[in-house]
Amino acid sequence: MSETLTTKSFGIESVLNELGIKENNYGASTGLKHTHTKGKKIDSYSPVDGQLIGSINAATAEDYVNVMKTADEAFKVWRLMPAPKRGEIVRQMGDQLRKYKEPLGKLVSYEMGKSLQEGLGEVQEMIDICDFAVGLSRQLYGLTMHSERPMHRMYEQWHPFGVVGIISAFNFPVAVWSWNAALAWVCGDVCIWKPSSKTPLCAIACQNIIAEVLKNNNVPEGVSCLIIGNESGDLINNDKRIPLVSFTGSTRIGRHVSKTVAERFGNTILELGGNNAIIVSEHADLSMVLVGAVFGAVGTAGQRCTSTRRLIIHESVYNKTIEVIKNAYAQLKIGNPLDSTNHVGPLIDKNATVDYLNAIEKAKLEGGKILVEGGVLSGDGYESGCYVKPCVIEAKNEYHIVQEETFAPILYVMKYATIEEAIAMQNGVPQGLSSSIFTNNMREMELFLSQAGSDCGIANVNIGTSGAEIGGAFGGEKETGGGRESGSDAWKAYMRRQTNTINYGTSLPLAQGINFTI
């Protein structure tokens, strides 16, 4: 490990000052108006060094009522603003994010624990989705249809839903909010964001960054709301005034959100667990596999929903692939993620390290063979107790622990004989988010992408499972929840469809030729 690098050496204190993060942080905001709430105290500790970054009092039920009332009133004004004008405001938000990319990226890295490059990349995703949303603001298209009745015209149009609830997870503390909010805003919705209580300061920083844009454009108070604290999650889920809830998190909590919102006939966008696999064909370029598999497995310390959990390797190249992977793992540097020479940062907290250790023990009990030893690191530079060694385990796909998602750098490896068998193994888990095959065989590529291929929302060829561009719709099937965010036509989830028929004739013929006379 490199020499211990302190928080001070990376200028975190100045980063907090630049982003407006102060000792007396607020737990609720409606845009420019902040509420210093009186709920339960939330302390944000960095998994990088275990230091307290800042504290917040969670929002109370009373705070939620006030925020929701403001958002509801803001929607009545915001929805009437022309969509291109809303897009122009989002464009300015993107410019503000460009201005604060470095300090926000550092805060994401320090509060969440991902590498600085990944932190900066997450902010770049926010900038990219703002750019995407600007163009989208002029492309909220409906269809025209021919009517079966003479002198009639039919068309459809899209209207904003209203108040959108966004509940995000710690692993992408800012990007997922922006995926939802930027699209919702240009669609005419207003947003209430409940961030993870593990990364609340990143959320406050985002609200501070866009405050100048909100002020300069006289945006109604309540278009961008923030409410911190776990209790606010269920308040959002149960609120009939919120027609759409976008939830990112575990499958277990996602089931609760889905049931709660569905019972009041609300809509959900669910981005839940992933159990992603890479198929390594006998026709694969192993040098490409190395980058895709290792980064997919250890990037963000295995805490991405798209992290590579399983490596399904053709039996003829199995031993060679394993050796390549083991050699790469032996060179991994684990330590402070703000130090660019390190490859792997910490898990989010000590509870995550317990889950990591338990998963390894379960795999061993089921017959798994440890190929690269895991363990929790201690000593100089690892004072937070959140640093672990990336682990590789030879396993079978049907192991109970392999069927689960463990948010940690654990990679399960297994063999296959035929491409059909490999695809069946890839699909043979409850989750369906991301998938990949490395091959130079055209037949295998096409089969993997066909109706008989991957059952995931994302299927890649000669690219790893981890990471996605904002131009495509992001999401997965089965226990991943079926939601779609970001690009393509994901914007339709934030709007309600309306079919319109206009009769410009002088008679009233009925559909289906029905004859009705009075």
Side-chain angles (χ1 to χ4, degrees):
M1 176 186 167
S2 61
E3 182 181 352
T4 302
L5 295 162
T6 65
T7 297
K8 187 175 181 179
S9 69
F10 285 100
I12 294 300
E13 186 174 343
S14 63
V15 164
L16 296 175
N17 288 333
E18 188 172 357
L19 294 173
I21 306 296
K22 304 175 182 178
E23 287 186 13
N24 189 18
N25 296 299
Y26 55 85
S29 169
T30 54
L32 297 176
K33 296 179 181 178
H34 310 318
T35 303
H36 296 283
T37 51
K38 299 180 180 180
K40 182 179 178 182
K41 185 180 178 183
I42 299 173
D43 293 324
S44 178
Y45 289 92
S46 171
V48 174
D49 54 14
Q51 296 299 306
L52 177 67
I53 313 172
S55 299
I56 301 161
N57 289 325
T60 64
E62 182 181 357
D63 296 322
Y64 175 82
V65 169
N66 293 332
V67 167
M68 184 61 205
K69 180 180 179 181
T70 305
D72 205 26
E73 289 300 314
F75 172 62
K76 296 173 184 177
V77 178
W78 183 250
R79 66 184 176 184
L80 297 178
M81 184 181 293
K85 173 60 177 175
R86 297 193 296 256
E88 164 59 19
I89 293 170
V90 172
R91 184 195 66 77
Q92 294 174 35
M93 291 179 179
D95 285 346
Q96 282 293 93
L97 288 167
R98 286 179 172 88
K99 181 179 177 182
Y100 289 95
K101 178 178 177 179
E102 183 174 349
L104 182 57
K106 281 188 176 182
L107 179 59
V108 168
S109 177
Y110 186 61
E111 189 173 32
M112 185 269 149
K114 64 176 59 177
S115 74
L116 178 57
Q117 286 302 308
E118 290 182 81
L120 294 171
E122 184 168 345
V123 181
Q124 186 61 49
E125 279 193 58
M126 302 175 76
I127 296 168
D128 292 343
I129 197 64
C130 286
D131 288 348
F132 180 89
V134 174
L136 177 65
S137 68
R138 295 180 183 270
Q139 300 177 71
L140 303 175
Y141 301 135
L143 299 173
T144 60
M145 291 80 76
H146 288 282
S147 173
E148 66 184 58
R149 290 167 285 183
M151 310 292 281
H152 283 59
R153 180 166 70 89
M154 295 179 65
Y155 69 97
E156 69 177 24
Q157 58 181 334
W158 295 83
H159 296 298
F161 256 138
V163 181
V164 173
I166 303 170
I167 303 174
S168 62
F170 73 85
N171 59 330
F172 280 86
V174 295
V176 171
W177 164 70
S178 70
W179 291 355
N180 286 274
L183 298 193
W185 284 329
V186 298
C187 288
D189 300 313
V190 302
C191 300
I192 294 182
W193 178 22
K194 191 209 82 65
S196 169
S197 293
K198 296 180 181 181
T199 52
L201 299 181
C202 286
I204 292 175
C206 288
Q207 195 81 333
N208 291 343
I209 287 171
I210 66 171
E212 183 179 345
V213 175
L214 299 174
K215 181 180 179 180
N216 291 344
N217 288 275
N218 295 314
V219 173
E221 198 73 31
V223 167
S224 178
C225 296
L226 176 67
I227 191 152
I228 298 173
N230 291 335
E231 291 182 3
S232 296
D234 264 345
L235 293 175
I236 290 172
N237 296 331
N238 284 288
D239 197 329
K240 293 182 179 180
R241 296 169 294 176
I242 298 180
L244 174 65
V245 176
S246 176
F247 173 80
T248 302
S250 69
T251 297
R252 179 180 62 83
I253 299 178
R255 283 196 178 95
H256 168 71
V257 173
S258 178
K259 180 180 178 182
T260 303
V261 177
E263 284 181 344
R264 60 176 177 83
F265 294 103
N267 297 273
T268 53
I269 298 173
L270 300 175
E271 297 290 351
L272 311 178
N275 195 346
N276 317 295
I278 293 177
I279 297 173
V280 181
S281 163
E282 59 186 311
H283 306 291
D285 182 335
L286 291 187
S287 64
M288 295 176 68
V289 171
L290 175 64
V291 176
V294 176
F295 176 75
V298 308
T300 326
Q303 296 172 112
R304 292 185 177 214
C305 52
T306 55
S307 291
T308 305
R309 310 288 178 201
R310 297 172 294 143
L311 206 56
I312 303 169
I313 309 168
H314 191 271
E315 57 190 10
S316 67
V317 293
Y318 182 82
N319 291 336
K320 185 177 181 180
T321 304
I322 294 300
E323 286 306 309
V324 168
I325 295 295
K326 289 171 69 174
N327 288 338
Y329 270 58
Q331 299 175 54
L332 292 175
K333 294 181 180 179
I334 307 169
N336 190 321
L338 290 162
D339 180 351
S340 61
T341 65
N342 290 323
H343 301 101
V344 186
L347 294 177
I348 186 64
D349 55 29
K350 290 182 180 179
N351 288 334
T353 67
V354 173
D355 292 340
Y356 158 83
L357 292 173
N358 287 340
I360 293 174
E361 287 306 309
K362 288 178 181 178
K364 289 161 66 174
L365 288 172
E366 291 193 71
K369 178 182 177 182
I370 304 297
L371 302 181
V372 176
E373 194 75 37
V376 179
L377 296 170
S378 60
D380 189 23
Y382 303 125
E383 290 85 359
S384 69
C386 299
Y387 291 88
V388 301
K389 297 178 183 178
C391 178
V392 180
I393 303 175
E394 187 175 67
K396 294 183 179 180
N397 204 53
E398 59 267 25
Y399 287 176
H400 292 296
I401 190 60
V402 176
Q403 294 285 306
E404 299 175 6
E405 178 191 44
T406 302
F407 241 41
I410 300 174
L411 179 64
Y412 301 108
V413 296
M414 54 202 75
K415 297 178 184 178
Y416 77 91
T418 68
I419 185 62
E420 291 79 9
E421 179 189 3
I423 291 173
M425 293 169 69
Q426 138 66 37
N427 294 342
V429 293
Q431 309 84 0
L433 179 52
S434 186
S435 59
S436 170
I437 186 170
F438 278 81
T439 182
N440 289 325
N441 181 291
M442 183 64 73
R443 175 184 173 273
E444 290 182 335
M445 293 181 190
E446 293 295 337
L447 183 62
F448 181 73
L449 299 175
S450 74
Q451 295 90 333
S454 168
D455 65 359
C456 293
I458 299 170
N460 298 328
V461 176
N462 293 329
I463 302 173
T465 64
S466 185
E469 297 182 28
I470 60 94
F474 180 88
E477 303 303 323
K478 302 189 293 188
E479 289 190 2
T480 302
R484 292 295 186 276
E485 295 171 337
S486 197
S488 185
D489 65 348
W491 62 271
K492 293 180 178 179
Y494 302 88
M495 305 192 82
R496 58 182 177 87
R497 188 195 309 249
Q498 184 181 77
T499 301
N500 307 113
T501 305
I502 298 173
N503 178 1
Y504 57 93
T506 57
S507 62
L508 188 60
L510 301 179
Q512 293 85 47
I514 294 173
N515 184 20
F516 181 77
T517 58
I518 299 177

